[in-house]
Amino acid sequence: MTRLPDFPWDSLAGVKARAQAVEGGIVDLSVGTPVDPVPASIRDALALVSDIPGYPATHGTPALRSAVIEALGRRHGITGLEPDAVLPTIGSKEAVAWLPRLLGFGPGDVVVIPELAYPTYEVGALLAGAEVVRADGLTQLGPRRPAMLWLNSPSNPTGRVLGVDHLRKVVEWARERGTVVVSDECYLSLGWDAQPLSVLHPSVHGGRTDGLLAVHSLSKSANLASYRAGFVTGDPKLVKDLLEVRKHAGMIVPRPVQGAMVAALTDDEALAAQRERYQRRRLVLRKALQDNGFEISHSEAGLYLWATRGEPALTTVEWLAERGILVAPGTFYGPAGGSHVRVALTATDERIDAAAQRLSA
């Protein structure tokens, strides 16, 4: 089996210990794990179906699949999808890690990932035995005919939003080559200075979803990271193929979680409240960073600030750790991140304010 890279965050143990030793405790902005309460509507929905002893459906309940379709239309203007083209996943990370293999790709196939990318894109390709190519532009790929191409807008880690013309061009290029386009849209609800667009929006695909998949998560928008609640949708044929494999493999979202997902997809007020929390934290952190020698790149959407002091990323990580603030070096996401750090908005208001005060001290 292909050797996988070391888990990046394990390498932060030393600087984390330094940050923890600072008076007042650590402000951990290194990971995107939610810290706010799970909305009551979701907890209630989980409890209501907690006494169902039978196996859940791999395809999810009809209510869940309908809730996905309705939420995508209401929140993101996505139309033309059928409920059968929705497949719940055990969070989005397992979908990202296993999609190349579940779609039948392997040795001899090429999987394209962004130059700065969530590390699991690369891991998924390696698990399948495929070749990984980092590219942000189609001209970089030359005559290659990739099996699969990842899009991520808003980007993790940079917060960059891809415009409709860019998305449309990628879809057209991929169709000419028989390439499956998979769009990671876990941060689609968190647009700040720009409005992200799904690859499944009609203005992008022109009324055809063939060869297109979108991966979604409720971890960030509904604080459901511990529930492992995600889904994939798009091309009905590809979703059907994934469903058949997942049935055999037992990759099933627990039935109570499916009930909770319906509530999360229905509760737009809870989504709006969570957005407001992140927006407030973003404004505080962004100002504190910019007022104290940092430049913010991209970061027009999503859950992170992509920041630089014009020095090696690890130097910045250590400088912040001395002030009790832990962030992730840009090198976790690819060689192009060598002078940036990723600063997460996932800390309580008190901890965000503490970080701002330490930056200004």
Side-chain angles (χ1 to χ4, degrees), residues 249-282:
M251 302 170 82
I252 312 171
V253 175
R255 179 64 180 84
V257 174
Q258 293 187 33
M261 290 174 69
V262 173
L265 291 160
T266 305
D267 194 342
D268 291 344
E269 290 184 7
L271 172 62
Q274 190 57 45
R275 274 182 49 86
E276 288 179 8
R277 294 185 189 104
Y278 285 138
Q279 186 171 35
R280 186 258 178 197
R281 293 164 188 168
R282 177 178 181 269

Side-chain angles (χ1 to χ4, degrees), residues 115-186:
E115 290 190 35
L116 287 166
Y118 181 45
T120 311
Y121 300 156
E122 179 182 19
V123 168
L126 294 175
L127 286 171
E131 177 187 355
V132 180
V133 173
R134 291 181 181 267
D136 286 339
L138 299 177
T139 56
Q140 294 173 262
L141 300 174
R144 292 177 182 268
R145 304 176 75 89
M148 179 173 156
L149 182 149
W150 276 104
L151 292 173
N152 182 208
S153 176
S155 164
N156 173 15
T158 69
R160 180 186 179 195
V161 172
L162 301 177
V164 62
D165 292 339
H166 182 108
L167 293 171
R168 190 185 298 123
K169 184 176 180 180
V170 170
V171 168
E172 292 171 353
W173 181 92
R175 282 177 173 156
E176 291 173 359
R177 290 158 179 79
T179 301
V180 173
V181 176
V182 184
S183 181
D184 176 353
E185 299 177 355
C186 292

Side-chain angles (χ1 to χ4, degrees), residues 21-341:
V22 171
E23 183 179 356
I26 188 173
V27 178
D28 192 345
L29 307 178
S30 66
V31 291
T33 188
V35 297
D36 300 304
V38 177
S41 61
I42 297 173
R43 298 199 306 272
D44 291 345
L46 183 80
L48 282 173
V49 289
S50 63
D51 191 27
I52 297 178
Y55 287 109
T58 306
H59 203 180
T61 64
L64 171 55
R65 287 183 275 121
S66 293
V68 167
I69 296 298
E70 291 166 8
L72 291 177
R74 192 174 62 251
R75 296 174 177 179
H76 306 298
I78 297 171
T79 59
L81 293 177
E82 295 296 329
D84 283 353
V86 174
L87 180 59
T89 59
I90 311 163
S92 62
K93 185 169 185 175
E94 65 93 346
V96 171
W98 292 107
L99 261 178
R101 189 156 189 171
L102 295 183
L103 289 171
F105 304 136
D109 290 321
V110 171
V111 174
V112 179
I113 68 174
E115 290 190 35
L116 287 166
Y118 181 45
T120 311
Y121 300 156
E122 179 182 19
V123 168
L126 294 175
L127 286 171
E131 177 187 355
V132 180
V133 173
R134 291 181 181 267
D136 286 339
L138 299 177
T139 56
Q140 294 173 262
L141 300 174
R144 292 177 182 268
R145 304 176 75 89
M148 179 173 156
L149 182 149
W150 276 104
L151 292 173
N152 182 208
S153 176
S155 164
N156 173 15
T158 69
R160 180 186 179 195
V161 172
L162 301 177
V164 62
D165 292 339
H166 182 108
L167 293 171
R168 190 185 298 123
K169 184 176 180 180
V170 170
V171 168
E172 292 171 353
W173 181 92
R175 282 177 173 156
E176 291 173 359
R177 290 158 179 79
T179 301
V180 173
V181 176
V182 184
S183 181
D184 176 353
E185 299 177 355
C186 292
Y187 302 93
L188 200 63
S189 296
L190 300 176
W192 311 118
D193 301 326
Q195 184 56 53
L197 201 62
S198 171
V199 75
L200 299 179
H201 194 278
S203 65
V204 174
H205 63 59
R208 294 170 46 200
T209 60
D210 53 296
L212 304 179
L213 291 172
V215 176
H216 284 253
S217 167
L218 297 178
S219 294
K220 311 303 195 275
S221 60
N223 299 328
L224 295 191
S226 69
Y227 284 44
R228 310 313 302 132
F231 61 88
V232 60
T233 185
D235 183 336
K237 182 183 182 303
L238 291 177
V239 172
K240 183 180 179 181
D241 292 343
L242 290 171
L243 172 61
E244 292 306 312
V245 179
R246 292 175 72 89
K247 283 180 178 178
H248 285 294
M251 302 170 82
I252 312 171
V253 175
R255 179 64 180 84
V257 174
Q258 293 187 33
M261 290 174 69
V262 173
L265 291 160
T266 305
D267 194 342
D268 291 344
E269 290 184 7
L271 172 62
Q274 190 57 45
R275 274 182 49 86
E276 288 179 8
R277 294 185 189 104
Y278 285 138
Q279 186 171 35
R280 186 258 178 197
R281 293 164 188 168
R282 177 178 181 269
L283 292 173
V284 171
L285 270 181
R286 186 183 184 99
K287 184 177 189 306
L289 288 166
Q290 289 178 322
D291 287 351
N292 292 280
F294 284 82
E295 177 185 331
I296 306 298
S297 306
H298 301 301
S299 305
E300 56 258 31
L303 202 58
Y304 310 100
L305 294 172
W306 189 237
T308 181
R309 286 174 18 121
E311 62 189 9
L314 287 176
T315 301
T316 304
V317 170
E318 291 168 356
W319 185 88
L320 287 166
E322 291 171 1
R323 290 153 179 80
I325 302 168
L326 185 66
V327 299
T331 47
F332 281 4
Y333 308 94
S339 62
H340 281 75
V341 295

